[in-house]
Every structure is written in C-alpha cells, then in structure tokens.
Amino acid sequence: MSMIGEYARLTSAELDRAIHDPDWAREFVDEVIEAELDSRPKVSDARCHDVDKAWHALDFLLRRINFPVDIVHGEEEIPGAEDWGYGPPRFLSPERVRVAAETLAATPHEALVEGVRPAELAEAEIYPTVVWERGESLDYVTSHYQALVPFFRAAADAGDAMLIWLD
C-alpha cells in the first residue's frame, strides 16, 4: 500500500465544524474528492489535492531550507479525529496557509533541490526509498512542489484553511 500526501481546502466555517465534528469532516472531504475525480478542476480551482508519494521527500527538502510552515503534515491537530490512513488529519489555519503561499511563491523549485542528489534521500531513508536508490530524478518531487504553489495561493486568496493527512 502506498502512502499519499493529501490536502483539502476548508473555509473558516468548515474548519470550525471539522474541529467540532471530525466525522463530518471525513465525510465532507470524501464527497469533495469524489466530485473532483469526475470534474478534474485545475489545481488552482480544486478543493482537494495530493502530492502522491512525494510527501516525504518534500518534507525532507522543505526542512532543509527551513520552510516556515509544515505544509506536509500540518501544524495543529483535529481533536478527536480518527485515523484517516496513516494517522489523523492535521490542519493549517488561514493565516498559516497565507504564510505558506507567500513562501512557496518566493521559493523557486530549483532552490528546493539545489545541491541535493537522489543518493542523499536514499541514505536518509526517504519514502519511497527504492526510487532514490535507483538514482531517479528529483523532477518528480519538484513537479509536485510546483503544483502546490497555485493550490496554496488559491487557498490563501480565498482565506481558506487546509486539512492535511497521509492516506
């Protein structure tokens, strides 16, 4: 089974409801994901997004450059939330989404991987390790990073919060 990094944009009212009723949040997010599977919106129009298996490499690379927001795992817990795959979801407040969006826009994808070789990710046991052991390009990671830029920008512009989890 794969571990996929997942995101869902929530309005402030939806975040408040999710915090008080995490079961509602799971149902709501599942419905949005299902609807978007059919409509396939642009990243900037989507309410949900995933970074596939690039989440762990993104975390490693973002920590390396001291990214100010944990956009891979979220920063705050949803109290009482059940496991959504590999743990309960966490969230970023609208303010933290704005900081993340501004920093993403100011940080080109080249800066994320500057001086980094796949072997370093393999040594650090970054999931999926086999990819880095084969010496595959970091383009996979940077393409997912680049997609996060408009996703977070749209969320910040709308004043949205972000739910984040591994599925």
Side-chain angles (χ1 to χ4, degrees):
M1 185 169 189
S2 296
M3 295 175 78
I4 308 295
E6 302 268 3
Y7 298 82
R9 291 173 42 186
L10 299 180
T11 65
S12 292
E14 290 165 347
L15 176 62
D16 187 54
R17 184 164 180 193
I19 289 169
H20 291 93
D21 187 355
D23 292 335
W24 170 85
R26 183 62 201 213
E27 290 176 24
F28 176 75
V29 168
D30 285 345
E31 289 172 9
V32 173
I33 289 171
E34 190 67 31
E36 289 187 351
L37 283 174
D38 294 333
S39 65
R40 301 243 182 236
K42 294 186 319 185
V43 172
S44 58
D45 294 333
R47 300 264 331 254
C48 294
H49 182 71
D50 77 71
V51 292
D52 197 49
K53 294 178 243 175
W55 65 271
H56 200 201
L58 284 167
D59 184 52
F60 177 83
L61 295 167
L62 290 166
R63 288 179 190 278
R64 185 179 151 273
I65 63 169
N66 297 313
F67 200 84
V69 180
D70 187 347
I71 63 170
V72 174
H73 300 286
E75 295 183 337
E76 297 184 55
E77 294 180 15
I78 300 287
E82 298 289 324
D83 185 330
W84 282 25
Y86 292 91
R90 297 174 61 85
F91 73 93
L92 298 175
S93 68
E95 296 78 24
R96 298 300 285 162
V97 169
R98 183 182 43 72
V99 170
E102 291 168 358
T103 308
L104 283 164
T107 308
H109 69 276
E110 296 89 357
L112 192 66
V113 295
E114 186 175 341
V116 178
R117 297 177 343 272
E120 291 177 63
L121 278 70
E123 284 177 31
E125 298 182 352
I126 302 302
Y127 176 81
T129 309
V130 68
V131 171
W132 316 123
E133 290 171 345
R134 289 190 304 242
E136 292 189 23
S137 167
L138 296 175
D139 291 348
Y140 168 73
V141 179
T142 58
S143 68
H144 283 289
Y145 175 84
Q146 289 173 296
L148 286 173
V149 176
F151 185 71
F152 269 82
R153 176 78 273 146
D157 289 347
D160 288 345
M162 193 79 66
L163 274 185
I164 304 170
W165 70 99
L166 295 176
D167 188 14

